[in-house]
Amino acid sequence: LRVEIALDPGQTRDVAFALGDAPDVAGVRAAARALRDGGCLAELNRRTRDFWTAHLGNLQIKTPVSSIDFLCNGWLLYQLTACRLWGRTALYQSGGAFGFRDQLQDVMALCTTASQMARSQILLSASRQFPQGDAQHWWHEQSGAGVRTACSDDYLWLVQATCRYVEATGDREILSEKISYLEGPLLRDGESDHYFTPEVSAYEETLLEHCRRALAHSTRRGPHGLPLIGSGDWNDALNRVGPLGVGESVWMGWFLIDTLKKFEAMMPEEPQDFAALANSLNDEAWDGGWYLRAFFDSGESIGSHKNLEACLDSLAQSWAVISNAAPLDRQRVAMRAVLDRLVHEQERVIQLFKPPFDRTVPHPGYIMGYPPGLRENGGQYTHGALWTAMATARLGMGDEAVRLMQLLNPIESACTPEGMRRYKAEPYVVAADVYFAPGLEGRAGWTWYTGSAAWSYRVWIEEVLGFKVNGETCSVNPVIPREWPGFSMTYRHGNSTYRFEIAQTDSGASSCHVDGQSVDLAAIPLNRTGGDHQVMISMPRRIDLNERNAPNTNP
């Protein structure tokens, strides 16, 4: 739409563009007439601003770094909500479909501040699951048509999201919600995916049963005792690693253990056995200085120092830490390899792995269709890079975690003319990928439509600032740089407002006071009934458990 306007010096004109919908033509015409009234436009504008103020304002932070505050106090959740949940499209990917694992990961970031959105998406996603435990990889809302795949991790994100939601909200009633399944043909032997419109089954089970079916579907193992990779795991582009049905994913092993641990925490009366899987990972996948990434059907490895390409993959290392299923000394050594070899400060890039695929045999999949250094093929895939920062925070390395997160911060990447010429993308939304191809180092790929917005928010809020809500209590366990004096937060819980002041001290023990009363820092009481509450927290500066300049013992 274009309107030509001629303005004299000092003259102003207001022009409004309205986008909306109505159930019929008469409704459209009525809306058009109403919108000619300037008062109507002003009211609609006010409502829109009020909505976003409320939606984005439930948690506000103030740290010593304004670019962190700018992202966390609005833009990350806006990108997540407007693009990922509502539009499901952007300039770089015009689709509109729901992704099973995609939007489930997105709403995990909303469990504290917009829990109803999270609840609705969890139940919607559960309705796209088959009785066998797998799910549609993606589907179109209008028709229900979508693709059934042999991807190995999709269905487990339902368990992850459900556990996170219950942990954050205390709403266990969601586990009793009855949800139907989909009915459709199974994949044939050798078939990696099948696009069709499934039938909706008349049979319903609780969300808890849907989660149990997902876990039951994950029990298949390969020759090394590891989960099968199927037609890909988190990295869809590794789609030719296991076409014969025996290729294995090391990352999937760590991810499955983490999922089982979360389910056990939610359902302690159902203990989960993952000891054998942890033993297999540590016995079969340890390469001396880091963990392997996968095994082909042939038994050949990906992610070994013996491989000429993709000899070190960040995902297998970060999730060895996130799952906490690897020995601590190996966690530290493996992450040291990632920090030393995959993090490039000058180019502001954290590679997914290196070197890129180019001539590898056996062929790993469509990942090798990308030029070396682009997207999943050895560039920065920000989703995975955020897990690197998350793992660093889990190891107590506050300075390092914030350094990595600031490398991934689009504001910092584009805050100078030189940086903007290199980065070439919007500085207020997270990019899905950043190139590391020769001559393109540090250039952003597609933006807006990426799950990296949700994970950026979670790593900043939950891992670095350490703020987690657990029903009617919360905890604050930050992993922040030693030089920070502290930070503050304002959190709305129901009708109540909690104002947090967190200070780092050079001595003394941790303490927490709510309205002057001493409370347990790990279970700070919350109420929804109203009023302003002051939370004062003091804690000693952390000792970095793995300083950047520590000796490198990797091969």
Side-chain angles (χ1 to χ4, degrees):
L1 299 176
R2 184 179 69 177
V3 175
E4 293 187 4
I5 301 172
L7 292 176
D8 293 329
Q11 186 181 10
T12 64
R13 284 187 61 187
D14 292 333
V15 178
F17 295 91
L19 180 67
D21 67 90
D24 50 41
V25 173
V28 171
R29 289 173 177 161
R33 286 193 297 271
L35 288 168
R36 293 191 179 100
D37 181 347
C40 176
L41 290 171
E43 174 62 15
L44 290 174
N45 191 36
R46 184 192 64 78
R47 290 183 193 174
T48 300
R49 291 178 179 276
D50 287 350
F51 166 80
W52 285 112
T53 297
H55 181 65
L56 305 177
N58 284 330
L59 176 62
Q60 297 285 289
I61 67 170
K62 184 173 178 55
T63 72
V65 184
S66 60
S67 64
I68 300 173
D69 304 345
F70 189 74
L71 286 181
C72 293
N73 290 340
W75 277 107
L76 291 175
L77 292 186
Y78 179 80
Q79 181 178 356
L80 187 168
T81 303
C83 184
R84 292 286 293 181
L85 294 183
W86 290 353
R88 301 187 301 282
T89 189
L91 296 173
Y92 306 83
Q93 180 170 329
S94 298
F98 277 103
F100 191 86
R101 65 180 175 195
D102 293 346
Q103 275 74 45
L104 281 173
Q105 289 181 78
D106 291 333
V107 298
M108 289 166 70
L110 298 178
C111 289
T112 295
T113 60
S115 60
Q116 191 56 47
M117 280 188 174
R119 194 181 204 275
S120 297
Q121 185 62 44
I122 290 169
L123 296 177
L124 173 64
S125 296
S127 72
R128 312 313 296 178
Q129 187 184 30
F130 295 97
Q132 292 78 14
D134 61 325
Q136 285 182 312
H137 187 64
W138 53 260
W139 74 93
H140 291 289
E141 184 178 20
Q142 292 82 356
S143 65
V147 61
R148 189 175 197 174
T149 74
C151 192
S152 58
D153 71 310
D154 277 346
Y155 47 91
L156 287 177
W157 288 105
L158 178 65
V159 185
Q160 285 266 342
T162 299
C163 293
R164 176 69 192 120
Y165 172 83
V166 172
E167 176 190 39
T169 65
D171 173 20
R172 297 186 65 85
E173 292 182 3
I174 192 175
L175 300 175
S176 301
E177 293 278 1
K178 291 286 190 72
I179 312 152
S180 59
Y181 290 96
L182 299 179
E183 297 288 352
L186 298 172
L187 296 177
R188 299 187 298 271
D189 289 343
E191 188 177 27
S192 62
D193 59 78
H194 181 198
Y195 177 81
F196 64 97
T197 303
E199 298 291 330
V200 177
S201 173
Y203 180 60
E204 294 182 338
E205 282 189 322
T206 64
L207 176 62
L208 181 58
E209 288 299 328
H210 279 255
C211 290
R212 288 172 176 149
R213 286 180 184 258
L215 292 176
H217 191 64
S218 68
T219 57
R220 296 164 296 171
R221 301 287 183 267
H224 298 88
L226 305 180
L228 301 180
I229 194 170
S231 58
D233 52 20
W234 172 86
N235 195 333
D236 297 336
L238 297 175
N239 61 311
R240 290 177 59 180
V241 173
L244 301 180
V246 291
E248 299 162 288
S249 168
V250 174
W251 170 80
M252 181 68 184
W254 301 124
F255 174 64
L256 177 55
I257 288 176
D258 184 71
T259 306
L260 291 169
K261 286 182 175 182
K262 286 180 166 60
F263 186 81
E264 183 177 87
M266 183 178 73
M267 302 294 295
E269 65 274 22
E270 298 183 34
Q272 303 297 310
D273 184 6
F274 43 80
L277 177 54
N279 289 337
S280 294
L281 287 161
N282 285 298
D283 292 343
E284 303 290 342
W286 180 246
D287 197 49
W290 54 78
Y291 286 95
L292 304 176
R293 176 62 175 85
F295 290 97
F296 285 98
D297 285 323
S298 64
E300 297 176 69
S301 65
I302 297 176
S304 169
H305 69 279
K306 298 177 182 178
N307 296 129
L308 297 179
E309 298 174 354
C311 70
L312 170 61
D313 188 294
S314 70
L315 258 65
Q317 322 319 317
S318 58
W319 277 84
V321 177
I322 294 168
S323 67
N324 199 28
L328 183 57
D329 59 338
R330 287 188 178 181
Q331 293 181 31
R332 293 174 177 169
V333 169
M335 287 305 299
R336 173 56 45 211
V338 171
L339 297 174
D340 288 348
R341 297 169 183 243
L342 300 183
V343 178
H344 305 277
E345 187 106 27
Q346 182 174 349
E347 296 84 358
R348 304 187 64 83
V349 168
I350 303 174
Q351 285 181 278
L352 185 61
F353 60 79
K354 69 180 296 186
F357 287 114
D358 193 18
R359 295 180 174 84
T360 288
V361 177
H363 198 295
Y366 75 81
I367 192 169
M368 210 151 71
Y370 294 122
L374 264 65
R375 292 188 60 76
E376 292 101 321
N377 192 15
Q380 173 181 295
Y381 209 74
T382 308
H383 196 150
L386 287 159
W387 286 338
T388 297
M390 182 176 178
T392 307
R394 292 281 178 97
L395 288 174
M397 302 165 65
D399 292 89
E400 193 74 353
V402 170
R403 180 180 78 96
L404 297 181
M405 289 298 291
Q406 288 295 74
L407 290 180
L408 303 175
N409 185 332
I411 301 171
E412 300 291 345
S413 293
C415 65
T416 65
E418 178 186 3
M420 191 67 248
R421 285 192 292 269
R422 178 183 62 234
Y423 188 68
K424 295 183 183 293
E426 303 97 325
Y428 43 83
V429 290
V430 181
D433 62 308
V434 179
Y435 303 157
F436 201 64
L440 297 174
E441 296 91 343
R443 177 172 176 170
W446 76 19
T447 56
W448 280 105
Y449 195 62
T450 168
S452 300
W455 280 105
S456 293
Y457 187 80
R458 291 195 66 190
V459 174
W460 277 124
I461 299 299
E462 298 175 20
E463 305 294 336
V464 174
L465 302 186
F467 178 66
K468 290 185 179 179
V469 176
N470 305 95
E472 299 308 309
T473 67
C474 70
S475 59
V476 182
N477 184 28
V479 183
I480 57 177
R482 289 176 53 80
E483 66 181 23
W484 283 16
F487 63 95
S488 60
M489 300 184 297
T490 301
Y491 171 60
R492 288 202 302 261
H493 188 76
N495 294 322
S496 301
T497 299
Y498 287 83
R499 306 183 191 280
F500 292 80
E501 293 289 342
I502 297 94
Q504 284 202 115
T505 62
D506 293 317
S507 61
S510 296
S511 65
C512 179
H513 292 81
V514 178
D515 298 333
Q517 300 296 314
S518 179
V519 300
D520 183 357
L521 186 56
I524 302 169
L526 301 172
N527 73 69
R528 299 175 179 272
T529 56
D532 271 21
H533 303 277
Q534 301 295 321
V535 184
M536 307 299 293
I537 296 172
S538 176
M539 53 184 51
R541 298 182 193 278
R542 283 179 176 268
I543 298 175
D544 196 326
L545 299 178
N546 195 357
E547 295 291 347
R548 284 184 61 192
N549 297 323
N552 182 7
T553 58
N554 295 328

